[in-house]
Amino acid sequence: LTTGDGDRLYGGALQIYDDTKGIDELREALLKSGYEGILPTFLEESEENDEEIVFFSKSLVLLSHHPFFDLFRTSLKLLNSLTLVESPLPIERYIANLCREVPLPPQGRIKVEFNLTPNKTISVERPPCNHLPMANFSYRPLFATLSVGNIMVVLGYLMEECKVVLLSQHYSILCPVAEALLSALFPFEWQGLYIPIMPFAMLDILDAPVPFLAGMSSRYLTEVDPKMRPRDLVFVDLDRDIVQVGIDETTGDKRKIPGLPAKAAWKLKSALEQHGSSSAYMLPTSGIKGCIMSGIIEPLLIKNEERPVYAQMENVQIVDEESLNRKDVFEMSDKAYEDGEDNTEIQTQGYMKSDSEDEGVSEKEQPRNHHVGRFKKFQKMKNKKKMFVSPQQKKKVLLSNSNRAGSQGHLLDIDEPKPFNSAEIRNAFLRFLISIFMDYQDYLIESGGDLFDNEAFINKLYVEKYAREW
């Protein structure tokens, strides 16, 4: 979020389903309300439907002026888990401790550690001013969704200050991908609009006459007629690894692929392949790695002959058809917990009484506790014979049986499976930009109409013709 004075406000949200109603109860409430229309299929009377349950959602949100994304995720999961068990303190006390009593550590000086549960220590620290800026998120969503060539293409468009839109049906990966792209621009800072998760109700922003980086649901591509879309946008389809370039707003011609200096671009690509893409990239079902399309109404594939070397497309044959595909892994990233994780960890930490502790005490004699009641209710829901099994639960079984995806873990986990190395990835981006701009101050003009000697600066880079134009 962006505040009125231009500061950014960061946050994390956890969607939970802790309120339920039976199908028969919901049907009765709907009919009593005076509704006279046709009932939805799932509410129609049948012996099978009457034993099912409808879940109602709510969201838990943490906000901060600092981008502690992994801290948001860990804290929200623990806070929700605490509401499912009998804890020694009310949940409000834990929230107050997190929001009011945990101090913000000074940059590069100390690390603050605190506990919400006895066996889970949470650390908060900020890097020194002379180090790379804090990146408290996983880089793996960026490298799982886009090939290295397409990452560099999008980076080039951001350097041009284009209007870039990230698209995915999985909201959980939009923000990490957007944050990773902006962090790759360091030491530059993005000055345009930044909305990593933009609601459909804000589509008018796509017509803004200023640069922006936005993320939104990929249903935009199916629900909005191509003729009604702005022509100067760069669409990045994260679900299919497709970059769709629009029209150059200054010339009105087809937008060109960024002409990054060949030598520096090749070094960057090699480093990103080694430390990122080789272990994280998930091949799309099309088998095309690095797909780039031109045009809006009738997109056409840009052939390799029209691309710079770093952005060459590859057709990859899918050998192991039983391996987990990108759709399965991305669906798992939408789930905050593995099955059973939301209460098992807390139970083992002394916050839940075992059945043996309550022996000899009748149910009436036990003190009432809303946490225990919610946990038992949750357990009863899970034990229903005809419980609805979501597609995500089915995918979880597939995930556990796949060695390929099992070695990856959850995409949002900040702990990286080897050989993925975000530190080397960030250093590679920094080396790339420094190799181009390290001597820029030598070409500043102190007097005269021009402020910078463009021709001399480009000549010293020894770049090809297409890169000179870019």
Side-chain angles (χ1 to χ4, degrees):
L1 304 174
T2 304
T3 61
D5 56 2
D7 290 338
R8 289 180 182 172
L9 194 62
Y10 303 91
L14 173 65
Q15 188 178 47
I16 61 174
Y17 297 83
D18 70 337
D19 193 12
T20 64
K21 286 187 182 296
I23 291 290
D24 53 347
E25 185 181 357
L26 191 61
R27 184 194 310 116
E28 183 179 351
L30 183 61
L31 294 176
K32 284 184 177 179
S33 68
Y35 177 78
E36 297 179 353
I38 300 176
L39 291 175
T41 305
F42 74 95
L43 282 181
E44 292 177 353
E45 292 191 34
S46 71
E47 184 176 342
E48 181 177 350
N49 280 354
D50 287 347
E51 296 190 24
E52 290 187 349
I53 291 175
V54 175
F55 289 82
F56 295 89
S57 65
K58 66 173 66 170
S59 288
L60 310 178
V61 181
L62 269 178
L63 296 177
S64 172
H65 285 286
H66 304 276
F68 295 116
F69 294 108
D70 190 64
L71 173 65
F72 300 154
R73 180 168 176 254
T74 302
S75 300
L76 285 172
K77 289 172 63 177
L78 286 175
L79 287 172
N80 179 58
S81 298
L82 286 168
T83 66
L84 296 174
V85 300
E86 183 180 8
S87 58
L89 298 171
I91 189 63
E92 292 80 8
R93 187 66 191 86
Y94 294 95
I95 296 173
N97 173 249
L98 174 64
C99 297
R100 301 296 299 273
E101 298 172 352
V102 176
L104 179 69
Q107 286 189 263
R109 295 185 179 181
I110 59 174
K111 176 170 67 174
V112 174
E113 295 185 343
F114 66 98
N115 296 76
L116 290 176
T117 59
N119 297 335
K120 179 68 174 180
T121 300
I122 302 175
S123 300
V124 187
E125 60 182 325
R126 296 193 293 166
C129 298
N130 59 347
H131 285 207
L132 289 174
M134 181 173 64
N136 189 239
F137 57 87
S138 173
Y139 277 78
R140 288 175 53 225
L142 174 63
F143 286 87
T145 54
L146 296 177
S147 60
V148 168
N150 278 356
I151 291 173
M152 295 172 65
V153 168
V154 176
L155 182 66
Y157 285 135
L158 290 175
M159 293 172 67
E160 291 183 38
E161 294 190 320
C162 294
K163 304 172 184 178
V164 180
V165 181
L166 307 176
L167 297 156
S168 177
Q169 61 178 324
H170 308 285
Y171 285 107
S172 60
I173 64 177
L174 287 174
C175 189
V177 170
E179 284 290 321
L181 287 171
L182 293 191
S183 72
L185 293 174
F186 183 81
F188 298 107
E189 291 186 13
W190 179 251
Q191 299 298 308
L193 292 176
Y194 178 51
I195 313 175
I197 303 179
M198 187 174 76
F200 237 60
M202 298 174 64
L203 286 183
D204 290 346
I205 288 181
L206 299 184
D207 293 308
V210 295
F212 58 77
L213 174 61
M216 59 187 303
S217 171
S218 57
R219 66 188 178 100
Y220 176 84
L221 297 176
T222 57
E223 295 185 11
V224 178
D225 191 313
K227 297 179 181 179
M228 304 300 294
R229 302 173 194 165
R231 302 177 62 200
D232 57 345
L233 302 185
V234 176
F235 290 108
V236 184
D237 189 340
L238 301 178
D239 297 335
R240 299 185 294 165
D241 186 19
I242 297 176
V243 177
Q244 186 174 333
V245 302
I247 303 300
D248 190 320
E249 53 192 326
T250 57
T251 64
D253 299 327
K254 181 178 70 174
R255 192 189 301 277
K256 295 181 179 180
I257 297 177
L260 305 180
K263 184 177 180 180
W266 185 253
K267 289 183 178 180
L268 174 61
K269 184 172 183 177
S270 299
L272 298 183
E273 290 280 6
Q274 177 183 354
H275 300 294
S277 185
S278 62
S279 62
Y281 181 69
M282 305 294 296
L283 189 69
T285 54
S286 64
I288 299 177
K289 183 179 180 180
C291 181
I292 305 178
M293 313 285 285
S294 66
I296 298 297
I297 299 177
E298 294 182 0
L300 298 175
L301 184 67
I302 299 179
K303 298 179 180 179
N304 278 340
E305 293 79 17
E306 305 175 48
R307 305 183 183 206
V309 176
Y310 78 87
Q312 294 291 294
M313 174 181 59
E314 299 177 50
N315 289 311
V316 183
Q317 183 180 1
I318 302 177
V319 179
D320 185 7
E321 295 182 355
E322 295 184 356
S323 65
L324 199 67
N325 59 41
R326 60 196 286 130
K327 182 175 181 291
D328 302 317
V329 174
F330 296 168
E331 283 183 352
M332 285 304 304
S333 71
D334 288 331
K335 298 181 65 177
Y337 299 99
E338 297 292 339
D339 287 349
E341 180 192 349
D342 50 357
N343 57 67
T344 303
E345 179 184 1
I346 306 298
Q347 288 187 61
T348 62
Q349 297 176 353
Y351 280 1
M352 277 296 292
K353 293 182 178 179
S354 65
D355 293 338
S356 60
E357 290 180 277
D358 292 331
E359 288 181 2
V361 182
S362 66
E363 185 175 352
K364 292 183 179 180
E365 294 174 337
Q366 293 182 12
R368 294 180 60 84
N369 185 300
H370 71 281
H371 299 309
V372 177
R374 183 168 174 245
F375 175 74
K376 290 182 176 179
K377 180 180 179 182
F378 183 75
Q379 289 294 91
K380 288 179 180 178
M381 293 187 295
K382 292 179 68 173
N383 294 332
K384 275 278 187 178
K385 290 184 178 180
K386 295 200 174 182
M387 187 75 174
F388 173 71
V389 180
S390 67
Q392 288 84 353
Q393 288 174 307
K394 295 178 181 178
K395 299 298 183 184
K396 198 270 178 185
V397 177
L398 181 60
L399 178 63
S400 63
N401 293 332
S402 172
N403 292 329
R404 176 185 174 189
S407 63
Q408 298 288 318
H410 198 290
L411 270 184
L412 302 186
D413 285 344
I414 202 169
D415 296 327
E416 306 160 347
K418 294 182 179 180
F420 193 90
N421 191 325
S422 60
E424 290 296 334
I425 290 170
R426 299 185 73 190
N427 287 334
F429 281 125
L430 183 62
R431 286 194 299 268
F432 168 72
L433 291 173
I434 288 178
S435 68
I436 299 174
F437 296 103
M438 61 181 176
D439 297 326
Y440 82 95
Q441 69 275 8
D442 297 339
Y443 302 91
L444 294 173
I445 301 175
E446 296 183 0
S447 61
D450 295 329
L451 299 177
F452 193 78
D453 190 344
N454 295 328
E455 192 67 24
F457 176 75
I458 294 175
N459 287 337
K460 72 99 179 180
L461 293 176
Y462 301 104
V463 296
E464 301 77 2
K465 181 180 178 181
Y466 76 89
R468 290 181 65 91
E469 296 174 354
W470 182 74

